[in-house]
Structures are given as structure tokens and as C-alpha cells.
Amino acid sequence: MTAPDPDGPLAEQLLRLTRRVHRVQKRHLAQRGLGITPAQSRLLRTLAHYGSPPRMADLAERLEVVPRAVTTLVDGLEAAGKVRRAPDPANRRVIRIELTDDGRAALREVRSARRLAAEEILAPLTDEQRAVLGGLLDTLVDGPGTEPGSGRGPGTA
């Protein structure tokens, strides 16, 4: 007989919360009628973090996905007029991905939908509970012994 896993219920709660966040954000995105998936919204948010249009490989690395997944996301966003492929001025073999005006407008809507989703999910918590949760999440995301917010935590791509 195996010993019970003391962290099992906590791990299950984290997974359930992650799924809930995804569902709530997806609903808020759908209500805006943008026709953008959560994965596409993540790509738009990631694009906004670059000072100049990135290469597909840069996006794949930043999103921690295979390049083919980025190609599929870019194809959909390009068909919707949210991004465009542009040749690199220094090397025409390199393609850069840039936001269009429609993409920037969609990004504003995505950010608004995410804020509303976060407000909905965090509504039951007091300000003090939110502060504690934020500190705990920083520790879980960044790992012990790192400065809070130094890694990829809440609010990043």
C-alpha cells in the first residue's frame, strides 16, 4: 500500500484554479466577439513586449512552444488582420511578426478581458488576502530565494 500524497489535494486545487482562470478568460474574450483564442491572445501579449518585431523563433522561445505552434497562431492572427509578416530589413530571409492597428486594438480588448476575469476570480478575497496570495504566487512562480516578480509571474506574457 502506498502512503497518501499530502500535496495531492493542493496540486489538484492548483490545477482546478488554472482551468477556471482559462475558462473565465475564454468567456470574457468570447463576449467581446474578437474571434481570438486564449493562445492567440497570449501571442498578442507577447508581441507587445518586444521593442521591435520579433522573429518566429523568438516568439516560440518566449512562449516555450515549438516553432510550428507559433506558425499556426500567426497564420490565424494574420488571416484576421491582427498581425502581419514583414521581411527583416537587414536579412530578407528572416521574417518578423508585427502587430497591425487591428492587432493593437484587439490587444487592448484582450487586456481588458483579462482584468475583468481576474476581478471575477479574485472578488471573494480581501485586499490583505490578495497581497498574501500575490506573495505566495511569486514564490511558486519564481522559486525560493529569488526576488519577487523577477521571473515570469502574474502580469507577464
Side-chain angles (χ1 to χ4, degrees), residues 25-91:
Q25 286 181 356
K26 189 174 179 179
R27 179 172 39 84
H28 281 277
L29 279 173
Q31 288 171 346
R32 286 173 156 54
L34 295 174
I36 293 176
T37 67
Q40 289 172 330
S41 74
R42 185 171 177 233
L43 188 134
L44 288 176
R45 292 190 322 271
T46 301
L47 268 173
H49 286 281
Y50 284 93
S52 61
R55 300 172 307 140
M56 298 275 248
D58 299 328
L59 289 168
E61 183 178 337
R62 186 110 179 231
L63 292 168
E64 298 177 350
V65 298
V66 296
R68 178 71 192 124
V70 171
T71 300
T72 301
L73 292 172
V74 169
D75 287 348
L77 288 169
E78 187 176 39
K82 308 295 188 229
V83 301
R84 73 177 144 255
R85 288 174 167 92
D88 184 304
N91 182 348

XYZ file of all heavy atoms in Angstrom, residues 25-91:
510
model
N -11.343 33.532 -18.580
C -10.734 34.405 -19.582
C -11.313 34.126 -20.967
O -11.595 35.054 -21.726
C -9.211 34.212 -19.612
C -8.520 34.829 -18.434
C -7.015 34.657 -18.487
O -6.483 34.012 -19.382
N -6.332 35.227 -17.532
N -11.505 32.857 -21.285
C -12.063 32.479 -22.588
C -13.469 33.059 -22.739
O -13.821 33.580 -23.801
C -12.079 30.953 -22.710
C -12.423 30.450 -24.077
C -12.264 28.935 -24.124
C -12.632 28.400 -25.471
N -12.461 26.959 -25.566
N -14.262 33.001 -21.672
C -15.620 33.558 -21.721
C -15.588 35.062 -21.933
O -16.324 35.606 -22.760
C -16.374 33.223 -20.429
C -17.779 33.801 -20.395
C -18.614 33.322 -19.212
N -17.939 33.181 -17.955
C -17.739 34.188 -17.092
N -18.161 35.404 -17.362
N -17.119 33.957 -15.949
N -14.703 35.756 -21.211
C -14.606 37.211 -21.368
C -14.113 37.589 -22.766
O -14.568 38.589 -23.328
C -13.717 37.826 -20.280
C -14.413 37.989 -18.973
N -15.227 39.055 -18.684
C -14.440 37.211 -17.871
C -15.712 38.941 -17.464
N -15.249 37.816 -16.949
N -13.223 36.798 -23.330
C -12.774 37.038 -24.701
C -13.922 36.828 -25.683
O -14.125 37.639 -26.593
C -11.620 36.102 -25.068
C -10.228 36.489 -24.608
C -9.240 35.365 -24.909
C -9.780 37.786 -25.237
N -14.672 35.751 -25.487
C -15.784 35.436 -26.389
C -16.855 36.533 -26.338
O -17.444 36.870 -27.379
C -16.390 34.086 -26.026
N -17.094 37.090 -25.161
C -18.101 38.145 -25.022
C -17.745 39.385 -25.839
O -18.614 40.148 -26.220
C -18.285 38.520 -23.550
C -19.005 37.462 -22.751
C -19.005 37.741 -21.258
O -18.260 38.586 -20.750
N -19.831 37.007 -20.529
N -16.472 39.580 -26.092
C -16.035 40.732 -26.868
C -16.118 40.483 -28.373
O -15.930 41.389 -29.166
C -14.608 41.112 -26.478
C -14.552 41.782 -25.134
C -13.127 42.001 -24.701
N -12.967 43.079 -23.763
C -13.605 43.220 -22.623
N -14.505 42.354 -22.275
N -13.366 44.229 -21.806
N -16.368 39.246 -28.769
C -16.524 38.922 -30.183
C -15.273 39.142 -31.013
O -15.362 39.440 -32.200
N -14.115 38.979 -30.410
C -12.852 39.199 -31.124
C -12.479 38.034 -32.027
O -11.670 38.189 -32.935
C -11.708 39.429 -30.129
C -11.785 40.685 -29.268
C -10.668 40.684 -28.233
C -11.703 41.916 -30.134
N -13.008 36.859 -31.746
C -12.629 35.688 -32.518
C -11.193 35.270 -32.264
O -10.533 34.736 -33.146
N -10.715 35.549 -31.058
C -9.329 35.234 -30.698
C -9.336 34.164 -29.610
O -10.079 34.275 -28.635
C -8.600 36.493 -30.182
C -8.432 37.496 -31.315
C -7.254 36.147 -29.575
C -7.818 38.796 -30.871
N -8.505 33.160 -29.785
C -8.382 32.102 -28.787
C -7.457 32.581 -27.662
O -6.685 33.531 -27.848
C -7.783 30.831 -29.410
O -6.411 31.100 -29.775
C -8.575 30.360 -30.613
N -7.504 31.912 -26.504
C -6.557 32.265 -25.435
C -5.097 32.161 -25.887
O -4.275 33.002 -25.526
C -6.885 31.267 -24.327
C -8.345 30.972 -24.526
C -8.512 30.960 -26.036
N -4.775 31.159 -26.700
C -3.396 31.019 -27.183
C -3.015 32.194 -28.088
O -1.897 32.719 -28.015
C -3.228 29.698 -27.921
N -3.937 32.621 -28.942
C -3.669 33.779 -29.800
C -3.541 35.053 -28.962
O -2.703 35.904 -29.262
C -4.777 33.940 -30.834
C -4.754 32.876 -31.910
C -5.969 32.953 -32.813
O -7.056 33.369 -32.409
N -5.787 32.544 -34.065
N -4.349 35.168 -27.927
C -4.242 36.359 -27.078
C -2.884 36.386 -26.375
O -2.288 37.443 -26.212
C -5.394 36.437 -26.069
O -5.254 35.503 -25.023
N -2.395 35.220 -25.998
C -1.067 35.149 -25.369
C 0.014 35.594 -26.356
O 0.949 36.310 -25.992
C -0.810 33.726 -24.881
C 0.481 33.579 -24.125
C 0.589 32.214 -23.466
N 1.870 32.107 -22.811
C 2.729 31.117 -23.015
N 2.420 30.128 -23.825
N 3.881 31.105 -22.394
N -0.116 35.195 -27.613
C 0.851 35.613 -28.621
C 0.796 37.132 -28.810
O 1.839 37.789 -28.894
C 0.618 34.902 -29.948
C 1.723 35.174 -30.958
C 2.169 33.885 -31.627
C 1.294 36.172 -32.001
N -0.405 37.706 -28.860
C -0.525 39.167 -28.991
C 0.142 39.867 -27.806
O 0.860 40.856 -27.994
C -1.997 39.581 -29.071
C -2.745 39.243 -30.360
C -4.215 39.636 -30.221
C -2.104 39.938 -31.556
N -0.115 39.370 -26.605
C 0.504 39.986 -25.418
C 2.023 39.865 -25.465
O 2.739 40.787 -25.094
C -0.045 39.338 -24.143
C -1.504 39.644 -23.887
C -1.992 39.198 -22.510
N -1.454 37.941 -22.039
C -1.986 36.738 -22.266
N -3.077 36.629 -23.004
N -1.438 35.649 -21.769
N 2.507 38.739 -25.939
C 3.948 38.522 -26.041
C 4.557 39.469 -27.070
O 5.613 40.064 -26.826
C 4.245 37.052 -26.393
O 3.693 36.222 -25.374
C 5.739 36.798 -26.498
N 3.894 39.619 -28.205
C 4.380 40.552 -29.236
C 4.547 41.959 -28.679
O 5.488 42.670 -29.028
C 3.400 40.601 -30.406
C 3.613 39.658 -31.561
C 2.453 39.737 -32.536
C 4.923 39.910 -32.252
N 3.623 42.363 -27.821
C 3.646 43.717 -27.260
C 4.856 43.960 -26.365
O 5.221 45.113 -26.118
C 2.356 43.984 -26.483
N 5.500 42.901 -25.895
C 6.663 43.056 -25.008
C 7.960 43.349 -25.760
O 8.958 43.703 -25.156
C 6.851 41.806 -24.135
C 5.854 41.695 -23.045
N 5.937 42.406 -21.880
C 4.713 40.973 -22.957
C 4.912 42.117 -21.110
N 4.157 41.257 -21.742
N 7.945 43.189 -27.060
C 9.154 43.418 -27.854
C 9.226 44.875 -28.305
O 8.214 45.460 -28.675
C 9.162 42.520 -29.097
C 9.496 41.079 -28.803
C 8.484 40.156 -28.557
C 10.815 40.647 -28.772
C 8.790 38.829 -28.284
C 11.131 39.322 -28.510
C 10.110 38.420 -28.267
O 10.408 37.111 -28.000
N 10.426 45.434 -28.308
C 10.626 46.796 -28.790
C 10.559 46.885 -30.306
O 10.179 47.908 -30.861
N 10.941 45.807 -30.972
C 10.853 45.740 -32.431
C 10.287 44.368 -32.781
O 10.360 43.433 -31.981
C 12.230 45.941 -33.070
O 13.119 44.939 -32.650
N 9.708 44.233 -33.965
C 9.059 42.965 -34.317
C 10.022 41.779 -34.198
O 11.125 41.800 -34.750
C 8.626 43.180 -35.769
C 8.475 44.664 -35.899
C 9.555 45.242 -35.026
N 9.597 40.739 -33.487
C 10.450 39.558 -33.299
C 10.347 38.577 -34.454
O 9.440 38.660 -35.286
C 9.870 38.934 -32.021
C 8.415 39.274 -32.093
C 8.368 40.655 -32.712
N 11.294 37.645 -34.493
C 11.250 36.528 -35.434
C 10.326 35.457 -34.855
O 10.042 35.445 -33.659
C 12.643 35.919 -35.610
C 13.685 36.878 -36.143
C 15.083 36.273 -36.115
N 15.379 35.788 -34.765
C 16.014 34.648 -34.494
N 16.436 33.871 -35.467
N 16.230 34.271 -33.256
N 9.863 34.565 -35.692
C 9.026 33.453 -35.226
C 9.765 32.636 -34.158
O 9.163 32.228 -33.171
C 8.650 32.541 -36.390
C 7.837 33.217 -37.446
S 6.109 33.214 -37.055
C 5.525 32.135 -38.314
N 11.056 32.401 -34.369
C 11.839 31.613 -33.415
C 11.892 32.308 -32.052
O 11.871 31.638 -31.013
C 13.251 31.387 -33.942
N 11.973 33.637 -32.049
C 11.976 34.386 -30.789
C 10.659 34.177 -30.038
O 10.641 33.990 -28.828
C 12.163 35.891 -31.035
C 13.488 36.225 -31.711
O 14.482 35.505 -31.475
O 13.510 37.203 -32.486
N 9.557 34.239 -30.792
C 8.243 34.035 -30.184
C 8.108 32.621 -29.626
O 7.610 32.429 -28.516
C 7.135 34.304 -31.202
C 6.930 35.768 -31.584
C 6.015 35.880 -32.792
C 6.362 36.545 -30.408
N 8.560 31.635 -30.387
C 8.475 30.244 -29.933
C 9.247 30.066 -28.633
O 8.760 29.427 -27.689
C 9.001 29.306 -31.007
N 10.437 30.646 -28.572
C 11.251 30.523 -27.365
C 10.578 31.205 -26.178
O 10.486 30.644 -25.091
C 12.631 31.136 -27.609
C 13.567 30.994 -26.428
C 14.942 31.569 -26.716
O 15.324 31.671 -27.897
O 15.633 31.938 -25.753
N 10.087 32.400 -26.385
C 9.449 33.168 -25.308
C 8.167 32.497 -24.821
O 7.862 32.497 -23.638
C 9.143 34.575 -25.800
C 8.623 35.511 -24.755
C 9.675 36.541 -24.450
N 9.250 37.497 -23.478
C 9.330 38.797 -23.633
N 9.817 39.309 -24.741
N 8.972 39.600 -22.675
N 7.411 31.910 -25.753
C 6.162 31.229 -25.395
C 6.393 29.801 -24.908
O 5.462 29.144 -24.445
C 5.218 31.210 -26.602
C 4.669 32.560 -27.041
C 3.994 32.453 -28.404
C 3.710 33.116 -26.001
N 7.626 29.330 -25.078
C 8.000 27.975 -24.682
C 7.164 26.928 -25.417
O 6.599 26.019 -24.831
C 7.915 27.797 -23.161
C 8.867 28.704 -22.413
C 8.761 28.598 -20.907
O 7.814 27.952 -20.392
O 9.622 29.172 -20.223
N 7.086 27.117 -26.740
C 6.387 26.170 -27.612
C 7.282 25.885 -28.809
O 8.264 26.574 -29.054
C 5.016 26.730 -28.097
C 4.080 26.973 -26.918
C 5.193 27.986 -28.926
N 6.907 24.880 -29.583
C 7.658 24.564 -30.801
C 7.334 25.608 -31.867
O 6.234 26.183 -31.873
C 7.346 23.140 -31.312
C 7.801 22.092 -30.307
C 5.875 22.980 -31.629
N 8.268 25.900 -32.760
C 8.027 26.905 -33.803
C 6.759 26.651 -34.624
O 6.068 27.588 -35.004
C 9.284 26.821 -34.671
C 10.350 26.370 -33.718
C 9.655 25.412 -32.784
N 6.418 25.399 -34.875
C 5.212 25.094 -35.657
C 3.960 25.644 -34.986
O 3.021 26.086 -35.662
C 5.107 23.573 -35.863
C 3.877 23.145 -36.611
C 3.973 23.554 -38.091
N 2.664 23.381 -38.711
C 1.993 24.330 -39.349
N 2.499 25.530 -39.464
N 0.825 24.094 -39.871
N 3.928 25.607 -33.661
C 2.764 26.139 -32.936
C 2.638 27.644 -33.153
O 1.527 28.163 -33.310
C 2.884 25.829 -31.443
N 3.763 28.346 -33.210
C 3.736 29.789 -33.459
C 3.253 30.060 -34.879
O 2.459 30.981 -35.107
C 5.122 30.425 -33.206
C 5.159 31.867 -33.659
C 5.477 30.335 -31.727
N 3.696 29.253 -35.818
C 3.265 29.424 -37.207
C 1.746 29.331 -37.306
O 1.097 30.162 -37.958
C 3.926 28.365 -38.114
O 5.346 28.517 -38.038
C 3.470 28.508 -39.556
N 1.166 28.351 -36.644
C -0.287 28.170 -36.659
C -0.992 29.381 -36.041
O -1.993 29.875 -36.587
C -0.675 26.879 -35.909
O -0.038 25.772 -36.546
C -2.172 26.673 -35.898
N -0.486 29.866 -34.915
C -1.093 31.029 -34.257
C -0.980 32.271 -35.138
O -1.944 33.027 -35.289
C -0.419 31.283 -32.909
C -0.661 30.236 -31.824
C 0.217 30.508 -30.608
C -2.124 30.189 -31.431
N 0.196 32.479 -35.715
C 0.408 33.646 -36.580
C -0.482 33.554 -37.817
O -1.064 34.559 -38.236
C 1.899 33.803 -36.943
C 2.090 34.831 -38.054
C 2.702 34.211 -35.706
N -0.613 32.359 -38.388
C -1.484 32.189 -39.560
C -2.902 32.671 -39.241
O -3.506 33.409 -40.022
C -1.532 30.726 -40.001
C -0.264 30.248 -40.688
O 0.589 31.102 -41.041
O -0.120 29.017 -40.859
N -3.429 32.240 -38.110
C -4.784 32.636 -37.728
C -4.909 34.120 -37.471
O -5.874 34.771 -37.909
N -3.931 34.689 -36.765
C -3.968 36.122 -36.468
C -3.745 36.962 -37.722
O -4.338 38.037 -37.868
C -2.930 36.468 -35.394
C -3.268 35.978 -33.986
C -2.069 36.125 -33.060
C -4.477 36.732 -33.429
N -2.926 36.465 -38.626
C -2.699 37.192 -39.876
C -3.970 37.179 -40.730
O -4.348 38.206 -41.310
C -1.527 36.577 -40.638
C -1.125 37.376 -41.860
C 0.103 36.810 -42.551
O 0.234 35.572 -42.630
O 0.930 37.615 -43.013
N -4.641 36.038 -40.796
C -5.892 35.939 -41.561
C -6.953 36.888 -40.988
O -7.784 37.412 -41.729
C -6.403 34.504 -41.548
N -6.892 37.118 -39.666
C -7.849 38.015 -39.010
C -7.394 39.481 -39.054
O -8.094 40.355 -38.547
C -8.059 37.583 -37.563
N -6.219 39.739 -39.640
C -5.726 41.109 -39.761
C -5.115 41.683 -38.493
O -4.917 42.893 -38.388
N -4.758 40.815 -37.546
C -4.206 41.282 -36.261
C -2.686 41.407 -36.282
O -2.115 42.178 -35.526
C -4.607 40.345 -35.123
C -6.091 40.043 -35.026
C -6.909 41.249 -34.696
C -8.348 40.857 -34.431
N -9.330 41.641 -35.137
N -2.026 40.615 -37.114
C -0.564 40.685 -37.257
C -0.231 40.605 -38.738
O -1.065 40.240 -39.555
C 0.166 39.543 -36.499
C -0.147 39.559 -35.008
C -0.140 38.180 -37.106
N 1.015 40.934 -39.053
C 1.498 40.754 -40.427
C 2.940 40.271 -40.372
O 3.683 40.583 -39.438
C 1.354 42.032 -41.237
C 2.321 43.119 -40.889
C 2.162 44.347 -41.808
N 2.390 45.539 -41.008
C 1.460 46.363 -40.589
N 0.211 46.172 -40.897
N 1.767 47.417 -39.863
N 3.287 39.526 -41.387
C 4.670 39.084 -41.556
C 5.381 40.160 -42.359
O 4.855 40.640 -43.356
C 4.714 37.756 -42.302
C 4.242 36.567 -41.495
C 4.188 35.322 -42.385
N 4.044 34.098 -41.628
C 2.889 33.523 -41.316
N 1.763 34.094 -41.694
N 2.858 32.395 -40.642
N 6.573 40.509 -41.925
C 7.352 41.538 -42.622
C 8.792 41.064 -42.750
O 9.347 40.510 -41.803
C 7.294 42.851 -41.846
N 9.397 41.284 -43.917
C 10.800 40.883 -44.068
C 11.697 41.746 -43.182
O 11.439 42.927 -42.982
C 11.091 41.116 -45.545
C 10.016 42.021 -46.030
C 8.845 41.873 -45.119
N 12.721 41.119 -42.651
C 13.714 41.839 -41.849
C 14.505 42.740 -42.792
O 14.995 42.277 -43.823
C 14.633 40.821 -41.176
C 15.634 41.474 -40.241
O 16.385 42.359 -40.685
O 15.665 41.085 -39.060
N 14.648 44.031 -42.478
C 15.370 44.929 -43.381
C 16.846 44.549 -43.563
O 17.426 44.814 -44.611
C 15.239 46.301 -42.733
C 14.568 46.116 -41.431
C 14.095 44.704 -41.317
N 17.422 43.883 -42.572
C 18.837 43.522 -42.648
C 19.066 42.157 -43.311
O 20.161 41.872 -43.785
C 19.455 43.519 -41.250
N 18.020 41.305 -43.329
C 18.176 39.971 -43.878
C 16.811 39.524 -44.410
O 15.958 39.102 -43.639
C 18.684 38.997 -42.802
C 18.906 37.600 -43.337
O 18.500 37.258 -44.446
N 19.552 36.775 -42.526
